[in-house]
Structures are given as structure tokens and as C-alpha cells.
Amino acid sequence: MKTYRQYCPIARASEILAQRWTPIIIRELLNGPASYTRLADAAPGIPRSLLTSRLRELERIELVETTPTESSKGARYRLTTAGEDLTEVIGALGAWGERWLEVAPEHADPGYLLNSWCTTYLATDQLPEERVVVRFDFTDLPGKAFPLWMIIDEGNAELCRTHPGYDEDLIVQAESVAIAEWHLGRIEWADAVRQRRIQVEGPTHLVKQLPAWNRRSRWAATNQRVPASDS
């Protein structure tokens, strides 16, 4: 790890937290213990070797610790007391980003959007009793490795990147940015549908229920965003 060679606590903390991917790893672990695979899924694009390196470094400085799984295959990562003490730091970073930064297409990775819906923001108390397969087509990303599928079953959700082998109950055609903006509370689902930025086909009761299956981002209730300047 490179050092700024300064005693300043901002410099010392930046040596750890300002490294690429480290805040993302900590963000995920603030949601609770996670497996290596889940951390990798939450950080699409990170090389596995780099994820391994970052986790080892966070263990070395005692921000992260590992616990064995019940199956004894692999391990689960969790924050130590020092790691959990970063809650307000990561929260402040997120509040600043939501207040001042726009959501651009390069920020709206569909795989991350749907993975976080399935693992972090799933409204389990709103899910239907029957199994539901939702196909997502992203209209602003032609030619990409899509569609993606979400399987709702027995109070859980799973993201599939290949056809799951079940009939599709709902088909969503949407702009990836529209899904991201809705999740962040910047637009309402009904408004996006009216603007044809999101369109859903399927049984009427499931079409109406779909947006309720996402608890939406913690930033959706803040209303802190500062509109872009006209100048």
C-alpha cells in the first residue's frame, strides 16, 4: 500500500479508503456478512485477483474478518467494529453523491441494478406466493448481453443471465437509467411508464405489483438532490 507519509488522519484514512473498489466492498459489507461470490457480484468489473487483494488488505488492517460457512466451503466476510464505524463515512459519501452528481448511462449497469434489487432491496413482504419470472430488456443497450431474468420464488429472488428454463410471466422493456432513477427516488414508476421509459407486459395484477417488490434506495427518501445548474 502506498503512503502519503503524512501523520494527518485524513491522509492516513485515504491510504485505505481512497483505493479503487474499497468503498464498494465496505458498502456491501455494511449490509451484513457476505460471501466472496456475493461481493464479486456486487462489484461487476472488479478482477477477482484485485478483490482477493483488497479483502486481504482489509483483513490485515482489521477492518474485515472472515468466518467459516456451515458447509466449510469458502468463508463469509464481515466488518469488524472498526469497519462498522465507517457507516457514517460511507453514508456521507453517498449523500454527497446523490446531492450533487447526475446518473449517467455508464452508471446504470443493469447487472448491478438487478443484483442489488435481488440481494439488498428486495421487499420480501410484498412478494407474490407463486413463482414469477421477469424478463428485463434494456432498450438503451442494444446488442449487449441481455436480456436478464429475475426469478421470484418462495420469498426470495435470483438474477439469471441466461434463460432460466421457465415461462416468462412479465416482460419489462426499460431504459437502464430510468430503472436507476426510479430506484433512487428521482422519478416515480407511473411517470416512467407514462413517458414510455419503462413498459411492462403480463398479467395485470403482476404488472401493478412489480414496483412494490423493490424497497428502493435509502436515498429515495432524502430528497437532497441539487438540480443541475442552468448556467
Side-chain angles (χ1 to χ4, degrees):
M1 180 185 296
K2 295 182 179 180
T3 175
Y4 292 111
R5 301 178 64 84
Q6 297 179 13
Y7 67 84
C8 168
I10 294 175
R12 286 182 283 133
S14 295
E15 290 173 359
I16 300 166
L17 300 179
Q19 293 193 85
R20 183 169 173 79
W21 295 108
T22 296
I24 304 303
I25 294 169
I26 293 173
R27 176 200 69 189
E28 291 307 307
L29 291 176
L30 283 170
N31 293 322
S35 65
Y36 184 92
T37 299
R38 176 167 173 174
L39 290 174
D41 289 342
I46 186 173
R48 293 299 178 102
S49 59
L50 182 56
L51 176 57
T52 298
S53 175
R54 290 287 187 268
L55 288 170
R56 286 176 178 170
E57 183 61 28
L58 292 172
E59 285 187 83
R60 185 187 68 79
I61 59 179
E62 299 183 345
L63 288 184
V64 169
E65 61 186 7
T66 59
T67 56
T69 61
E70 294 181 359
S71 64
S72 74
K73 293 182 179 180
R76 291 179 67 79
Y77 296 85
R78 58 180 295 172
L79 294 174
T80 63
T81 300
E84 290 176 347
D85 202 33
L86 290 167
T87 299
E88 293 186 6
V89 176
I90 299 300
L93 186 64
W96 181 88
E98 177 58 12
R99 182 173 175 81
W100 293 103
L101 302 178
E102 296 293 339
V103 177
E106 59 265 28
H107 301 137
D109 181 284
Y112 172 71
L113 285 169
L114 297 184
N115 182 69
S116 63
W117 184 339
C118 292
T119 61
T120 304
Y121 295 103
L122 190 66
T124 55
D125 59 328
Q126 298 294 323
L127 299 180
E129 294 183 359
E130 72 270 24
R131 181 177 62 212
V132 177
V133 177
V134 187
R135 189 183 89 198
F136 288 84
D137 295 319
F138 293 94
T139 57
D140 55 338
L141 298 170
K144 300 291 184 179
F146 303 113
L148 298 173
W149 290 265
M150 181 188 296
I151 303 177
I152 306 291
D153 196 15
E154 297 184 348
N156 291 297
E158 178 184 0
L159 175 63
C160 293
R161 298 177 184 273
T162 58
H163 196 287
Y166 302 118
D167 292 337
E168 297 158 349
D169 301 289
L170 293 174
I171 297 177
V172 180
Q173 293 185 314
E175 298 173 14
S176 57
V177 172
I179 296 288
E181 290 179 341
W182 163 72
H183 178 68
L184 288 168
R186 295 186 176 192
I187 59 173
E188 293 304 317
W189 186 274
D191 293 332
V193 169
R194 187 161 44 251
Q195 297 165 10
R196 301 186 67 79
R197 299 182 68 194
I198 298 175
Q199 300 178 68
V200 187
E201 298 178 5
T204 302
H205 71 288
L206 293 178
V207 171
K208 291 181 178 179
Q209 291 175 20
L210 176 59
W213 302 342
N214 187 312
R215 293 188 291 109
R216 304 178 78 177
S217 168
R218 60 182 290 191
W219 314 114
T222 62
N223 293 317
Q224 297 185 85
R225 181 170 170 266
V226 175
S229 172
D230 294 332
S231 61

